Amino acid sequence: MLLEGIETLLVLAQEGTMSKAGSRLYLSQSAVSKRIAKLEQRIGKKLIEPDGRRIKLTADALQLIAAVEPGFKALKGQIFDQLDVNDRTVIHIACSETLVAGYLAPVMGDYIQQDPFLAISTHHTPIIVERVQSGDAAVGFCAGHLPPQHGLAVIHLFDEPFSVVSRQALDQQPSQLLVNDLKNPANANQVSSLQKAGIAPYMEMDSYTAAAQLGLGGVAPALVPISIVKTLKIAPHHCHHFPFMDELTRPVQLCYRSNSLQSSRTRQLIETIAGSVQLTV
């Protein structure tokens, strides 16, 4: 029960609301609230306070998270390594939304007919890495740069290029671009590339699909990966390339705990995803 409370607090700290934490944990909002209340009762400290529609962590909560988070994740990962993956064990795959749409979806329809015990969820890259580290996902399929010292095995598949999507024709490099969240560490390399090119972020989206649609709608040109161009079937005359983009790519990679390869099902899944992606690029 104590571990459940700690896990719930850690997820709540990331998501900011009871409802979002519940979605991550597959719990109702009331169940999340009860877990936090029991944890508060157990340790004798107030951990959260209401802050409009969100929650605010108390100083005691922040201190508790700093003390237990690294060890808790390591413990969950070690427990995951001991699990026996049989024919009916659900294998969780944590993925980037754009990679699901652009590269994973075409192969999974046939694959899941052979192995129906799979579950796919979409997250940003830092969360994907955390889920694999903790064993909440067996395989991570992510785009962008991984955090340092992540401790995972990684298969680099390819470097995905970008395109500038615009409703209007562009005769020269734009001075502003719609971009994806530049506070996301996975996108850190974009910041320096844009600065060197003298381009200012106009708006920061949480979704490349949203950025592309706004670009097509005429709000401003949008910087989006090629997987979005393919998925949305954006016509070539809306896609532009400029010199600063020659070195602007994002690595696409699979990550997993090394012991995961002991499972033939997990190993086959990793090999299938890697093989199908590399055939399409």
Side-chain angles (χ1 to χ4, degrees):
M1 192 64 70
L2 181 60
L3 291 179
E4 285 184 349
I6 294 295
E7 180 181 36
T8 304
L9 178 64
L10 294 177
V11 173
L12 187 57
Q14 291 178 341
E15 298 296 341
T17 69
M18 294 285 188
S19 60
K20 288 184 178 180
S23 297
R24 276 268 305 273
L25 294 167
Y26 302 100
L27 296 171
S28 66
Q29 185 171 333
S30 62
V32 172
S33 180
K34 287 178 182 178
R35 281 190 178 186
I36 295 297
K38 287 180 180 179
L39 180 61
E40 289 178 329
Q41 184 178 18
R42 179 74 180 272
I43 66 175
K45 295 178 179 178
K46 188 69 175 173
L47 298 175
I48 63 171
E49 298 172 345
D51 185 21
R53 294 184 178 181
R54 300 175 64 84
I55 60 93
K56 179 181 179 181
L57 299 175
T58 66
D60 285 329
L62 294 173
Q63 185 177 11
L64 177 61
I65 289 171
V68 305
E69 185 174 24
F72 181 80
K73 289 179 179 178
L75 175 62
K76 286 188 65 178
Q78 290 169 4
I79 292 173
F80 174 80
D81 287 341
Q82 302 303 315
L83 295 179
D84 179 24
V85 180
N86 57 46
D87 290 344
R88 290 180 173 269
T89 301
V90 176
I91 297 178
H92 292 269
I93 314 168
C95 305
S96 161
E97 179 185 7
T98 57
L99 298 184
V100 170
Y103 303 104
L104 189 63
V107 71
M108 290 310 295
D110 291 332
Y111 192 88
I112 209 164
Q113 300 302 315
Q114 307 168 29
D115 187 349
F117 298 100
L118 301 174
I120 301 170
S121 58
T122 57
H123 315 273
H124 294 306
T125 291
I127 300 299
I128 293 172
V129 171
E130 287 184 9
R131 289 183 67 81
V132 177
Q133 287 173 326
S134 65
D136 289 328
V139 181
F141 187 26
C142 46
H145 294 272
L146 303 183
Q149 300 177 335
H150 50 73
L152 300 175
V154 175
I155 300 175
H156 177 266
L157 300 177
F158 70 103
D159 291 315
E160 184 178 36
F162 284 80
S163 180
V164 171
V165 172
S166 173
R167 184 173 71 179
Q168 293 85 11
L170 298 176
D171 296 327
Q172 59 184 6
Q173 176 181 296
S175 60
Q176 294 181 318
L177 285 173
L178 293 166
V179 296
N180 206 29
D181 182 9
L182 296 179
K183 296 182 290 296
N184 183 335
N187 300 331
N189 70 310
Q190 296 180 29
V191 177
S192 58
S193 294
L194 293 174
Q195 287 177 343
K196 285 168 58 177
I199 298 174
Y202 180 49
M203 298 180 190
E204 295 185 30
M205 300 289 105
D206 194 46
S207 162
Y208 278 120
T209 300
Q213 296 288 23
L214 289 174
L216 293 172
V219 173
L223 183 69
V224 300
I226 293 300
S227 53
I228 289 295
V229 173
K230 293 179 179 178
T231 300
L232 298 181
K233 296 181 172 59
I234 300 175
H237 66 274
H238 290 305
C239 301
H240 307 271
H241 183 88
F242 299 98
F244 82 93
M245 301 165 65
D246 290 341
E247 298 179 0
L248 180 60
T249 60
R250 62 175 191 166
V252 173
Q253 43 215 339
L254 288 165
C255 61
Y256 53 92
R257 296 179 66 86
S258 297
N259 287 349
S260 296
L261 293 183
Q262 295 177 6
S263 161
S264 59
R265 285 181 58 216
T266 304
R267 184 169 61 253
Q268 182 180 356
L269 175 63
I270 291 171
E271 292 173 351
T272 300
I273 295 173
S276 65
V277 169
Q278 290 173 333
L279 282 175
T280 61
V281 298

